[in-house]
Amino acid sequence: MDRRVRVRFAPSPTGPLHMGGVRTALYNYLFAKKMGGDFILRIEDTDSQRFVPGAEKYITEALNWCGMKFDEGVNEGGPCAPYRQSERKEIYLQYALQLVASGHAYYAFDSAEELDKIRADYEAQGKTFAYNYLVRESLQTSLNLDSETVQERIRNNHNWVIRFKMPVDRIVKMHDLIRGDVEVNTSTLDDKVLYKSTDSLPTYHLANIVDDHLMEISHVIRGEEWLPSLPLHYLLYEALGWQDSQPKFAHLPLLLKPTGKGKLSKRDGDKMGFPVFPLEWHSPDGETAHGYREDGYFAEAFVNMLALLGWNPGDDREILSMEELIEAFSLEHCGKSGSRFDPEKARWFNAQYLKTKDNSELADLYQPILENYGVKADKTMVEKVCGLIKERATFVSDFWSLSDYFFVAPESFEDKAVNKFWKGENPNRLQQLRDVIATIEDFRAEVLEHTIHSWIEQNQYPMGQIMNTFRLAIVGRSMGPSMMEIAELIGRDQTIQRINSALDKLGNPA
Ligand code: GLU
């Protein structure tokens, strides 16, 4: 019988979650939901040196904003609680000791200073030091020292670590669901530290394997920066006797810079003017970085854009809701090579989502902006304005520059439009138009259109000239939706007032 699908997102709280990390979480989530399985959040905080206060809260808030719900995790709890590794401290030592007892690991007593010195000596000879099978028997390890010395050092609280004893010249055959079969000769690998006595904590490798096993993780889906650790992870499963229930692995390719060259890094956003983080981040030392949420992106647009950076639904659909993404998701459709991030495309996604939002939701988002400009407008009016301009906007923050004239009369008139239209008979005809408008009782766009067009036809006036002069008076510039719609929304009195004000301010053309 196939085992239940259980996947985990296992970030280390070392800072804000980069969009590559959000994508990893998203693919885990989509896979879990598609397979009817569980999505777990485990916080891997065993590296106290790199711990950043506020990072865990940021991670959970960001994933919540994206609409990913955990079945088990630090906040949700669950059958494998606790889900924060620092709270599972007691669990790991027994496994490190088991590995020592079975000969798969050993104690090492070299101090950081001693290792630094060895490294420096190697460098002086133009070589790079690796803690591996070539040196482990000549350093201060339990492979070299007699067992009494080893026991005595442990008893006397001499600092020690437990290192994995990497086998010599063995080919590890691995399978990755995205990359296929991979092979590595163990002689190229070093003896990683698994456990440290200084803080009684395991390192990433041991804690990660032990927890994936205890939490019955069926698939590990993570970034390709972890691929080099895969041979060690395979060997740890084997050494602990867990190879039969070892999870399947899928390593996701990198997100690349917009230029296509190199990994999209945390610094790129601020350098190139786009966010690389889901939410704005304020670091404990006062640095701030942009976030998609605060920059005005809709969570659905951000998620949709991210999903397609490295995966495709197998057809040419581009706009997919979370439900549709779940339905369509498969690891087979994840690409093997890096995906270039395109900030322009991110904006395009937002514009697509903005267009389909209902006007009432947009009005709620626009109202606070209007209030900032000192405008108090009723919701129905704001909804209608949103309906008229949303096709032209990318963000709600574009609304004001696209629709200010619905709420405030223009104070000045754009030179270009004035030079083009405020000439010849146009001002005089605008005055006539005002008088026509004054007679229209039922001030709806259709009625306006009918009445104004008949008047233009009867007089055989040039339609473009009249309407553009009308627009100049009402909007102050050459932009916006149909004049009839604008006039209907601002109402008859305001329309007439604005025509009068333009006639007054612009006067007779020279
Ligand atoms: N804690 C690791 C990270 O920060 C997890 C890697 C994994 O998923 O195994 O990415």
mmCIF file of all heavy atoms in Angstrom, residues 179 253-254 256 310 335-339:
data_model
loop_
_atom_site.group_PDB
_atom_site.id
_atom_site.type_symbol
_atom_site.label_atom_id
_atom_site.label_comp_id
_atom_site.label_asym_id
_atom_site.label_seq_id
_atom_site.Cartn_x
_atom_site.Cartn_y
_atom_site.Cartn_z
ATOM 1 N N ARG A 179 15.362 15.341 -10.962
ATOM 2 C CA ARG A 179 16.601 15.142 -11.717
ATOM 3 C C ARG A 179 16.891 13.722 -12.160
ATOM 4 O O ARG A 179 17.837 13.479 -12.889
ATOM 5 C CB ARG A 179 17.780 15.568 -10.846
ATOM 6 C CG ARG A 179 18.021 16.993 -10.928
ATOM 7 C CD ARG A 179 18.496 17.491 -9.590
ATOM 8 N NE ARG A 179 17.940 18.803 -9.416
ATOM 9 C CZ ARG A 179 18.431 19.878 -9.997
ATOM 10 N NH1 ARG A 179 19.505 19.802 -10.733
ATOM 11 N NH2 ARG A 179 17.854 21.036 -9.846
ATOM 12 N N PRO A 253 14.909 23.510 -8.874
ATOM 13 C CA PRO A 253 15.949 24.390 -9.416
ATOM 14 C C PRO A 253 15.833 25.823 -8.876
ATOM 15 O O PRO A 253 14.780 26.223 -8.355
ATOM 16 C CB PRO A 253 15.707 24.348 -10.922
ATOM 17 C CG PRO A 253 14.331 23.843 -11.088
ATOM 18 C CD PRO A 253 13.992 23.020 -9.897
ATOM 19 N N LEU A 254 16.898 26.547 -9.043
ATOM 20 C CA LEU A 254 16.972 27.905 -8.490
ATOM 21 C C LEU A 254 16.072 28.891 -9.222
ATOM 22 O O LEU A 254 15.731 28.687 -10.385
ATOM 23 C CB LEU A 254 18.403 28.419 -8.645
ATOM 24 C CG LEU A 254 19.505 27.703 -7.896
ATOM 25 C CD1 LEU A 254 20.849 28.293 -8.307
ATOM 26 C CD2 LEU A 254 19.295 27.838 -6.394
ATOM 27 N N LEU A 256 16.307 32.425 -10.890
ATOM 28 C CA LEU A 256 17.426 33.220 -11.411
ATOM 29 C C LEU A 256 17.086 34.709 -11.480
ATOM 30 O O LEU A 256 15.914 35.091 -11.546
ATOM 31 C CB LEU A 256 17.805 32.719 -12.810
ATOM 32 C CG LEU A 256 18.111 31.227 -12.929
ATOM 33 C CD1 LEU A 256 18.371 30.858 -14.385
ATOM 34 C CD2 LEU A 256 19.303 30.848 -12.056
ATOM 35 N N GLY A 310 8.976 27.688 -12.644
ATOM 36 C CA GLY A 310 9.626 26.399 -12.419
ATOM 37 C C GLY A 310 8.675 25.231 -12.541
ATOM 38 O O GLY A 310 9.069 24.082 -12.344
ATOM 39 N N GLY A 335 10.416 21.984 -13.749
ATOM 40 C CA GLY A 335 11.573 22.028 -14.654
ATOM 41 C C GLY A 335 12.863 21.621 -13.953
ATOM 42 O O GLY A 335 12.959 21.667 -12.735
ATOM 43 N N LYS A 336 13.843 21.240 -14.760
ATOM 44 C CA LYS A 336 15.150 20.843 -14.212
ATOM 45 C C LYS A 336 16.091 22.035 -14.133
ATOM 46 O O LYS A 336 17.034 22.039 -13.368
ATOM 47 C CB LYS A 336 15.819 19.822 -15.146
ATOM 48 C CG LYS A 336 15.315 18.406 -15.032
ATOM 49 C CD LYS A 336 16.324 17.501 -15.758
ATOM 50 C CE LYS A 336 15.922 16.061 -15.851
ATOM 51 N NZ LYS A 336 14.580 15.750 -16.273
ATOM 52 N N SER A 337 15.851 23.034 -14.999
ATOM 53 C CA SER A 337 16.800 24.153 -14.994
ATOM 54 C C SER A 337 16.178 25.360 -14.298
ATOM 55 O O SER A 337 14.964 25.427 -14.106
ATOM 56 C CB SER A 337 17.194 24.498 -16.426
ATOM 57 O OG SER A 337 16.032 24.622 -17.199
ATOM 58 N N GLY A 338 17.045 26.304 -13.958
ATOM 59 C CA GLY A 338 16.614 27.481 -13.205
ATOM 60 C C GLY A 338 15.560 28.299 -13.944
ATOM 61 O O GLY A 338 15.507 28.288 -15.171
ATOM 62 N N SER A 339 14.719 29.005 -13.193
ATOM 63 C CA SER A 339 13.695 29.834 -13.824
ATOM 64 C C SER A 339 14.030 31.291 -13.621
ATOM 65 O O SER A 339 14.261 31.727 -12.492
ATOM 66 C CB SER A 339 12.336 29.592 -13.164
ATOM 67 O OG SER A 339 12.057 28.253 -13.191
#
